[in-house]
Amino acid sequence: MLELPIVTTEPSDTVAPEKPTTHRRRLPKWLKRPMPSGEMAYTSQVVEDLNLETVCESAKCPNRTECWAHRTATFMVLGNVCTRPCGFCSVPKGKTETVLEDEPERVAEAAARLGLEHVVITCVTRDDLPDGGAEHFYRCVLAVRERTGAAVEVLTSDFRGRRESISRVVEARPDVFNHNTETVPRLYQRVRRNSSYQRTLDLLKQVKDEAPDMPTKSGLMLGLGETLEEVLDVAADLRRHGVEMLTLGQYLQPTQHHLPVERFVPPEEFDLLGEQCRQMGFSLVASGPFVRSSYHAGEMASVLGRE
């Protein structure tokens, strides 16, 4: 087994919310990305014409330039306002919006115009809705599949652990069911407030219990104060709950009001960590500074399908 580098930072048990910081760490050279190009214009126009939200914009994804230039995007449904105060996410929080009944058709139309063969649909967390938005997710999956024939990957909230909501999304038979773990258990109260590590594991297990042939996927952000040993412990938990696909990426502070980056993990460390996780039995592991849950999701799913 490969040995990971020793992390000198000691874990802290402090879970109090971070105060906003005016100091942001300078990005290391391996985290530089190209400036926006004109090749992004078509994707941008489709999103604007159809009045859609994307996690690419709302979460300030560093890969937007690359993905939009290749005419791909991750659609975010159920509005652009989240009900959870996560410390890492730049999606707006506050008063939620009315769910628009024609959104599934608009998402399907966008997928058709962009020529997508693998469509990723995510959402804001909607704890205000009785089913957490599960029925809307169901309709989006079916609409995209009927309009395009594309494979559909869902990246859902935890639906507050409502088993019937999780089952409803499973009934749509998405090609991949993704739900992010985000961080290690010790940091949940600070990073992912109002969420539960065990609830995440339970959701992933339920999906696998109800649809054993449906690939499940999860992801973590690194650089928030976790140790590498804690990351490996989470990976082991995910494998025990049947997860086949894992993504590991670098957390980047979206604004000065969000949690600061505690550490920039170098690419070679991501490589070593990814190899450790593959040795645990994951079918696919994407591990690198710019890896995100939906980054190159189609390529990742197609590799899994060929195995």
Side-chain angles (χ1 to χ4, degrees), residues 118-164:
H118 186 96
V119 179
V120 183
I121 305 172
T122 189
C123 66
V124 291
T125 299
R126 292 295 301 264
D127 291 333
D128 59 312
L129 299 175
D131 70 345
E135 183 64 28
H136 195 73
F137 245 119
Y138 176 91
R139 291 182 55 225
C140 286
V141 174
L142 268 57
V144 169
R145 186 174 290 136
E146 181 179 354
R147 178 74 171 83
T148 69
V152 182
E153 177 174 333
V154 296
L155 173 54
T156 74
S157 65
D158 63 18
F159 300 111
R160 300 187 80 174
R162 300 181 186 92
R163 293 185 62 85
E164 63 275 14

Side-chain angles (χ1 to χ4, degrees), residues 76-130:
M76 189 173 73
V77 300
L78 295 168
N80 189 37
V81 180
C82 188
T83 57
R84 301 242 181 124
C86 295
F88 66 90
C89 182
S90 64
V91 174
K93 286 82 172 171
K95 183 175 175 57
T96 56
E97 303 167 349
T98 301
V99 177
L100 300 177
E101 292 299 318
D102 69 336
E103 188 172 48
E105 289 69 34
R106 287 185 285 114
V107 170
E109 176 63 23
R113 291 191 195 180
L114 293 171
L116 298 179
E117 296 180 355
H118 186 96
V119 179
V120 183
I121 305 172
T122 189
C123 66
V124 291
T125 299
R126 292 295 301 264
D127 291 333
D128 59 312
L129 299 175

Side-chain angles (χ1 to χ4, degrees), residues 21 27 38 43 58 61 67 77 79 83 104 108-109 122 127 134 158 176 184 189 197 213 226 237 245-246 248 267 305:
T21 176
L27 292 178
T43 303
S58 294
C61 179
C67 295
V77 300
T83 57
E109 176 63 23
T122 189
D127 291 333
D158 63 18
V176 177
V184 302
Q189 186 176 337
Y197 179 69
D213 59 337
E226 73 290 329
D237 281 344
M245 307 167 72
L246 178 67
L248 303 171

Side-chain angles (χ1 to χ4, degrees), residues 23-262:
H23 174 69
R24 299 177 70 183
R25 289 171 177 261
R26 183 182 298 274
L27 292 178
K29 61 182 179 180
W30 64 78
L31 283 172
K32 305 296 184 182
R33 294 299 266 174
M35 295 294 291
S37 69
E39 295 174 340
M40 298 171 57
Y42 183 79
T43 303
S44 179
Q45 191 62 54
V46 168
V47 170
E48 182 179 347
D49 285 350
L50 294 169
N51 190 30
L52 293 171
E53 301 290 348
T54 68
V55 75
C56 322
E57 294 178 293
S58 294
K60 303 185 186 301
C61 179
N63 300 316
R64 186 170 73 98
T65 298
E66 176 186 348
C67 295
W68 282 33
H70 289 88
R71 297 191 177 186
T72 186
T74 297
F75 303 109
M76 189 173 73
V77 300
L78 295 168
N80 189 37
V81 180
C82 188
T83 57
R84 301 242 181 124
C86 295
F88 66 90
C89 182
S90 64
V91 174
K93 286 82 172 171
K95 183 175 175 57
T96 56
E97 303 167 349
T98 301
V99 177
L100 300 177
E101 292 299 318
D102 69 336
E103 188 172 48
E105 289 69 34
R106 287 185 285 114
V107 170
E109 176 63 23
R113 291 191 195 180
L114 293 171
L116 298 179
E117 296 180 355
H118 186 96
V119 179
V120 183
I121 305 172
T122 189
C123 66
V124 291
T125 299
R126 292 295 301 264
D127 291 333
D128 59 312
L129 299 175
D131 70 345
E135 183 64 28
H136 195 73
F137 245 119
Y138 176 91
R139 291 182 55 225
C140 286
V141 174
L142 268 57
V144 169
R145 186 174 290 136
E146 181 179 354
R147 178 74 171 83
T148 69
V152 182
E153 177 174 333
V154 296
L155 173 54
T156 74
S157 65
D158 63 18
F159 300 111
R160 300 187 80 174
R162 300 181 186 92
R163 293 185 62 85
E164 63 275 14
S165 294
I166 299 164
S167 295
R168 186 56 173 163
V169 180
V170 171
E171 287 172 11
R173 303 299 301 179
D175 295 271
V176 177
F177 199 118
N178 188 352
H179 174 65
N180 279 336
T181 311
E182 304 294 12
T183 190
V184 302
R186 177 175 56 84
L187 299 178
Y188 251 60
Q189 186 176 337
R190 180 163 64 94
V191 175
R192 202 180 178 201
R193 297 189 292 279
N194 296 348
S195 298
S196 160
Y197 179 69
Q198 187 60 50
R199 187 190 297 163
T200 284
L201 294 178
D202 290 345
L203 180 152
L204 292 163
K205 182 178 185 298
Q206 180 182 338
V207 173
K208 188 56 67 176
D209 286 345
E210 294 184 2
D213 59 337
M214 184 178 294
T216 50
K217 178 179 177 182
S218 195
L220 287 89
M221 304 172 292
L222 275 58
L224 283 161
E226 73 290 329
T227 68
L228 297 180
E229 290 77 10
E230 286 177 312
V231 174
L232 291 174
D233 286 343
V234 170
D237 281 344
L238 292 172
R239 280 300 299 136
R240 281 192 290 269
H241 286 74
V243 176
E244 297 109 322
M245 307 167 72
L246 178 67
T247 58
L248 303 171
Q250 172 70 54
Y251 167 68
L252 296 175
Q253 183 182 11
T255 76
Q256 66 181 20
H257 302 293
H258 291 83
L259 294 173
V261 175
E262 299 292 337

